[in-house]
Amino acid sequence: MNLGQVDLNLLVVLDALLREQNVTRAAERLHMSQPATSTALARLRKLLGDPLLVKQGRYLRLTPRGEALVEPVREVLGTIEQHIVAPPDFDPAHDERTFNLASSDYVGVVIMRPLLERVNGLMPNVRLEMGALSGDAARMIERDEIDLVILPEVLAEGMLSASCSSAPVVRDRYVGAVWSQHPLAGGSLPLEALTRYPYLAYAPPNGCSLMDEDIERAGVTPRVEVTSVNFITMPFLMAGTDLVTIIPESLGEQLAPAAGIELLEPEFPLRPVRESAYWHSRRDADPAHRWLREQLLAVLP
């Protein structure tokens, strides 16, 4: 293959096809017609000597060659976008940019909400699209499908690659919480209360709960009667009940008045809450991304 014969626009189409694994969706992403996208796919197949996408039942699947091209193509286009196409500076008052971010609901309340207020109030041309955490965070960062994700540091260690840069953003601790009329209200949270009273457990989709590990390490099995996949709903489930739970302190302080709960000092050790923002290192020098990180750091408590 003669590199001089490679049309850069074909790489853009290839990237969309590899991402979407669907000709129609790739065409929509590129604002092209479906016939034009199909024609580009035919040219790519001839150029690369591989079908790239093959029919499997009702869907298209990447061939091994297609899978192997995902990261290199994204890397090449990311480099071109940032160092050749993108302007050398970023003016949030005039430049348009959409950032995709992902975090837990807890981080959404204590950090992302202030960030949205700061950005949307001052920079009308900048959009933030907030998404939930998923097990695909590493793949999405590698493929530039997400600009920044906030994760617990212990979870990120086994999920993200060395190609990610990071900055600490959450430094919090866990505390007990009960309804304001609970027998424990006004006191502290002893370890045995987790077996004496019904326990509201946090059950994240990824199955990783630091406080549950700490409680298990202390030799206690809580009397779990209710579980929640979201931290933010937990304080509002407790009114009129004998439930006890454990939540991040900063979240509890914000929601306590509305939820009618009291926070209790735990009488047993719980590891602190430590979360960081992660992004692909190819974004380190991106002026717009650097501006986003500066805004994020500016709203940290």
Side-chain angles (χ1 to χ4, degrees):
M1 176 173 36
N2 185 343
L3 188 59
Q5 296 176 344
V6 178
D7 182 350
L8 179 59
N9 290 320
L10 276 182
L11 286 183
V12 176
V13 177
L14 175 59
D15 179 56
L17 288 166
L18 295 178
R19 286 172 182 253
E20 299 293 346
Q21 299 182 37
N22 181 286
V23 175
T24 301
R25 290 200 301 268
E28 291 172 351
R29 173 188 281 268
L30 297 167
H31 304 290
M32 292 173 58
S33 68
Q34 184 171 337
T37 307
S38 296
T39 299
L41 176 57
R43 290 179 61 193
L44 285 163
R45 284 169 166 166
K46 182 177 180 181
L47 183 68
L48 298 172
D50 188 271
L52 301 174
L53 291 159
V54 294
K55 193 93 169 179
Q56 191 175 88
R58 297 170 54 194
Y59 303 97
L60 292 175
R61 293 288 183 265
L62 294 180
T63 65
R65 172 73 164 143
E67 285 283 358
L69 286 171
V70 171
E71 303 305 336
V73 169
R74 183 85 301 267
E75 187 75 33
V76 168
L77 290 179
T79 300
I80 293 173
E81 289 167 359
Q82 293 170 56
H83 298 286
I84 299 176
V85 178
D89 299 305
F90 178 69
D91 180 1
H94 300 96
D95 295 342
E96 294 187 6
R97 180 71 178 258
T98 298
F99 295 103
N100 294 286
L101 306 95
S103 72
S104 66
D105 62 318
Y106 151 59
V107 173
V109 170
V110 300
I111 294 180
M112 291 304 191
R113 187 202 58 78
L115 177 64
L116 286 169
E117 183 178 359
R118 178 183 178 88
V119 171
N120 290 346
L122 300 176
M123 293 80 181
N125 297 318
V126 176
R127 293 181 56 199
L128 299 184
E129 295 188 353
M130 314 298 297
L133 291 178
S134 76
D136 288 338
R139 179 187 61 82
M140 294 173 74
I141 290 177
E142 288 289 340
R143 299 185 181 185
D144 284 338
E145 295 174 0
I146 192 168
D147 291 285
L148 186 146
V149 61
I150 297 180
L151 287 170
E153 292 171 1
V154 294
L155 185 60
E157 290 174 2
M159 178 185 294
L160 304 183
S161 70
S163 61
C164 287
S165 297
S166 65
V169 294
V170 176
R171 294 296 181 261
D172 205 351
R173 69 189 194 111
Y174 289 113
V175 296
V178 294
W179 178 43
S180 59
Q181 304 301 314
H182 193 282
L184 293 176
S188 58
L189 181 66
L191 185 61
E192 56 85 22
L194 304 183
T195 58
R196 180 155 49 102
Y197 295 101
Y199 182 64
L200 168 58
Y202 175 55
N206 57 42
C208 177
S209 174
L210 287 182
M211 83 278 286
D212 285 350
E213 293 178 5
D214 291 340
I215 292 169
E216 182 179 347
R217 190 175 294 113
V220 168
T221 301
R223 214 176 91 201
V224 178
E225 293 194 5
V226 186
T227 62
S228 174
V229 297
N230 298 309
F231 265 130
I232 195 172
T233 61
M234 292 170 67
F236 297 98
L237 297 174
M238 309 190 73
T241 75
D242 283 340
L243 289 168
V244 298
T245 195
I246 297 170
I247 58 176
E249 184 176 36
S250 60
L251 179 69
E253 289 175 343
Q254 289 200 38
L255 300 183
I261 63 170
E262 285 196 15
L263 304 183
L264 311 178
E265 184 68 28
E267 297 180 6
F268 47 93
L270 291 168
R271 279 174 288 176
V273 184
R274 296 286 184 266
E275 299 203 17
S276 287
Y278 298 89
W279 63 93
H280 200 286
S281 57
R282 74 168 71 97
R283 295 289 183 188
D284 287 348
D286 180 343
H289 201 283
R290 187 167 59 243
W291 174 86
L292 173 67
R293 301 193 303 266
E294 291 170 354
Q295 305 314 303
L296 177 62
L297 295 177
V299 301
L300 297 183

